[in-house]
């Protein structure tokens, strides 16, 4: 039974859905900023939960990605209430296209699911934190985050090996070329971003009594592309103070984005606690061709673009740490 | 143990090769006419045979393709002498790159092979032959060939569903727009091209006593791309006679290629028996991204390019069949 949205699942007559495999066919559109993923990923997150509620036997979604490879995408899903979920899988976009063509022509489509994934026991992992001490205010930080874990179909070269490389290399570039700033720079490589932001939550908890010493948080979690724009989200004074700093990246081709920074996943607990975020937006037109698939491998890395991104992070982080002012505080939970 | 060519395998000291898995790392270069495949495919054909001769335990080749997907390529291999071959597999190009990077850095690489392919019993299949009778010489033919079978990782949309579509559509276009020519047009959809040209050989055998009535043979077996050039191979008089006919395709952007036509796989038994061939060369820069992989699916089809190719085949086939002269005979086995 084909549906086109989560709302379509909710609207199903349970008599029609019962015992059926639901096929949720929602394409992901390609965009430089990855907005197509944001619009489509709710299907992956919620389809099994919704399908269970209408009594379906299972659910199969069109992969949440922009590629046309026959390697399906994976990713996090809403944790089921025990006994209240159903088997769920993703079809590659090519195979979803095939199903759509057949169904469009009225040809009956039957599926048999053989799902081999398993949930392994939880294990201990750890964040990695590195500080480069500031000269004047060593206990104030500009944080640069990325994450250590990845989905294990591929090797995680883009998500988030590239981000980890960017922030580590950015710190190295600052040390080599700029030296210490007024405040400290802190690189955090977070554990377990993919399965629930556990590292990010643990960091925010461990540093709860010094959250207000985090002047800005930045994050690299969008692959290998070059940075094309930057934006800030902070207090009312943040944007005006940021304009001159953003201009430092103009020689790298980076423009100022007037939109409020959305921040990233690992910095979201900090953002919700009021910490300003600065986004360095990376070209991501092809990111969702590889992300969360077996194709997330080292050969996708674009060394020149990665080097540009590391340079942009270095200049930005140093300038933010050097600034004679801060960027205010966000209204808690004002972030998207 | 890594080697870079078949000759490198032959040169191995059997004491060094014995019990080892050989990794044959030869990249396929991208080219519009697919020449990179021609240069690389000998590795797939011959590696297992050569590896057995030096006592290796198995052989793994870099996939003979131009893609960067983690879906490996398959294809025909030299039939082993029983007891004188070794297990053989192909690594995706991404995984071959990984092995190359590790080996280049002196990191030991170990492999464990789990090969699940099997050879099924032979079965009967058949060529499909359709004639569109000529007005004046119905027992002389211009043949348009393609093949029905494909490697079963994908659905064979490009290899050779596209070719079958081109020649069938070409015949339909001739019937609808041009009508019968002096000679007959014959579409042949050959059985079992991939595993030994059985259909092509059977056709040549079945028509051995009328081979000289085959004026020209054409073949569509290069995917979905538009035709960009055309060439002929025949008797000494063929090229001069072909120039005016080739010019008919100029409005489609097709140029005359002065090289002698190589012909295709399914028409090779005819070519070797003296039948002239005409090539309509299709743009194939991306063909070996998909060919013989799980990615050979319908969503790769480019309808406008496929329509252009069918139009080119239609115009060319009708003009060849209408010509008041023939194109001589090839010197038997003069083809490459």
């Amino acid at each position: 039974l084909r549906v086109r949205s989560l709302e379509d699942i909710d609207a199903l007559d349970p008599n029609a859905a019962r015992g059926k495999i639901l096929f949720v066919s929602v394409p992901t559109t390609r965009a430089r900023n990855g907005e197509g993923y944001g619009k489509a990923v709710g299907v992956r997150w919620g389809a099994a939960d919704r399908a269970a509620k209408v009594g379906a036997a299972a659910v199969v979604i069109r992969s949440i990605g922009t590629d046309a490879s026959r390697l399906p995408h994976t990713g996090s899903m809403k944790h089921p209430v025990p006994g209240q979920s159903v088997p769920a899988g993703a079809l590659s976009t090519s195979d979803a296209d095939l199903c759509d063509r057949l169904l469009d022509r009225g040809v009956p489509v039957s599926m048999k699911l053989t799902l081999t994934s398993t949930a392994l026991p939880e294990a201990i992992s750890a964040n990695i934190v590195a500080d480069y001490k500031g000269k004047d205010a060593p206990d104030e930080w500009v944080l640069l985050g990325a994450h250590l874990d990845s989905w294990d179909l591929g090797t995680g070269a883009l998500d988030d090996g590239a981000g980890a490389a960017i922030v580590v290399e950015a710190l190295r570039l600052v040390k080599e070329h700029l030296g210490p700033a007024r405040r400290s720079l802190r690189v955090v490589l977070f554990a377990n971003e993919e399965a629930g932001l556990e590292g990010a939550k643990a960091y925010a908890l461990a540093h709860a009594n010094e959250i207000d010493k985090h002047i800005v948080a930045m994050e690299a979690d969008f692959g290998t592309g070059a940075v094309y724009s930057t934006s800030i989200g902070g207090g009312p004074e943040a944007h005006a103070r940021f304009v001159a700093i953003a201009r430092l990246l103009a020689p790298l081709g980076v423009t100022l984005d007037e939109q409020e920074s959305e921040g990233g996943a690992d910095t979201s607990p900090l953002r919700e606690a009021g910490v300003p975020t600065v986004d360095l937006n990376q070209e991501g037109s092809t990111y969702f061709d590889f992300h969360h698939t077996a194709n997330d491998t080292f050969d996708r890395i674009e060394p020149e673009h990665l080097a540009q991104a590391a340079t942009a992070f270095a200049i930005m982080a140093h300038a933010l740490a050097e600034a004679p002012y801060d960027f205010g505080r966000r209204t808690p939970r004002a972030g998207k």
Side-chain angles (χ1 to χ4, degrees), chain A:
Chain A
L1 199 60
R2 175 171 58 177
V3 294
R4 300 287 192 180
S5 68
L6 294 178
E7 293 68 31
D8 281 359
I9 299 178
D10 298 342
L12 283 174
D13 178 344
N15 290 322
R18 195 167 311 283
K20 292 275 177 36
I21 299 174
L22 301 187
F23 169 46
V24 193
S25 176
V26 180
T28 304
T29 54
R30 188 180 297 279
R32 184 162 74 156
N33 66 359
E35 64 184 11
Y37 179 75
K39 289 174 185 166
V41 70
V43 170
R44 191 189 73 216
W45 177 258
D49 182 62
R50 310 279 190 112
K53 289 193 168 67
V54 295
V59 65
V60 168
I61 67 165
R62 178 189 171 96
S63 280
I64 305 300
T66 48
D67 66 296
S69 163
R70 289 185 71 203
L71 294 165
H73 292 235
T74 189
S76 61
M77 295 166 54
K78 184 172 177 181
H79 285 234
V81 178
Q84 292 183 31
S85 190
V86 296
L91 276 181
S92 78
T93 56
S94 294
D95 292 290
D97 283 346
L98 173 62
C99 290
D100 274 330
R101 284 195 306 275
L102 293 171
L103 292 165
D104 288 346
R105 295 170 64 181
V107 179
V109 173
S110 64
M111 290 185 188
K112 179 186 172 186
L113 304 186
T114 305
L115 302 171
T116 58
S117 56
T118 54
L120 299 175
E122 299 210 343
I124 300 290
S125 57
N127 294 333
I128 294 177
V129 180
D131 276 4
Y132 183 47
K133 289 282 183 203
K135 292 175 295 189
D136 304 334
D139 294 335
E140 293 181 11
W141 294 280
V142 170
L143 184 146
L144 295 86
H147 67 87
L148 287 170
D149 60 315
S150 73
W151 291 95
D152 58 2
L153 301 172
T155 59
L158 295 180
D159 183 15
D160 187 26
I166 287 168
V167 296
V168 170
E169 173 67 1
L171 197 61
R172 196 193 66 76
L173 288 170
V174 170
K175 285 188 68 170
E176 180 174 336
H177 297 290
L178 301 172
R182 287 209 316 111
R183 303 181 182 97
S184 295
L185 298 185
R186 170 170 287 178
V187 164
V188 183
L189 302 180
F190 291 98
N192 193 10
E193 187 264 354
E194 299 290 0
L197 302 177
E198 298 302 332
K201 292 172 187 168
Y203 179 89
L205 198 63
H207 299 271
N209 64 353
E210 52 189 14
I211 290 290
D212 61 347
K213 302 291 191 185
H214 290 71
I215 304 304
V216 176
M218 301 164 66
E219 183 169 340
D221 188 13
F222 208 56
T224 188
V227 175
Y228 64 88
S229 73
T230 184
S231 61
I232 193 166
E237 65 276 52
H239 185 79
R241 293 179 173 180
F242 184 64
V243 171
I245 293 175
R247 205 172 289 139
L248 295 174
L249 298 186
L252 291 173
V254 179
T255 60
L256 176 63
D257 179 353
E258 303 284 343
Q259 298 283 314
E260 189 179 6
S261 156
E262 295 192 23
D266 276 317
T267 52
S268 61
L270 298 174
R271 184 185 65 217
E272 289 175 17
V275 177
T277 58
V278 164
D279 289 349
L280 292 185
N281 300 304
Q282 293 176 256
E283 163 64 46
S285 299
T286 65
Y287 181 63
F288 292 105
D289 290 348
F290 307 119
H291 159 269
H292 292 198
T293 76
N295 273 336
D296 185 354
T297 51
F298 188 76
D299 47 319
R300 319 300 161 193
I301 297 295
E302 300 161 358
E304 289 184 23
H305 293 159
L306 198 67
Q308 186 265 16
T311 305
F313 271 78
I315 295 170
M316 176 59 71
H318 187 269
L320 293 168
E322 192 73 1
Y325 38 74
D326 65 22
F327 303 92
R329 308 307 287 172
R330 283 179 180 248
T331 307
R333 303 191 183 276
K336 284 193 205 177

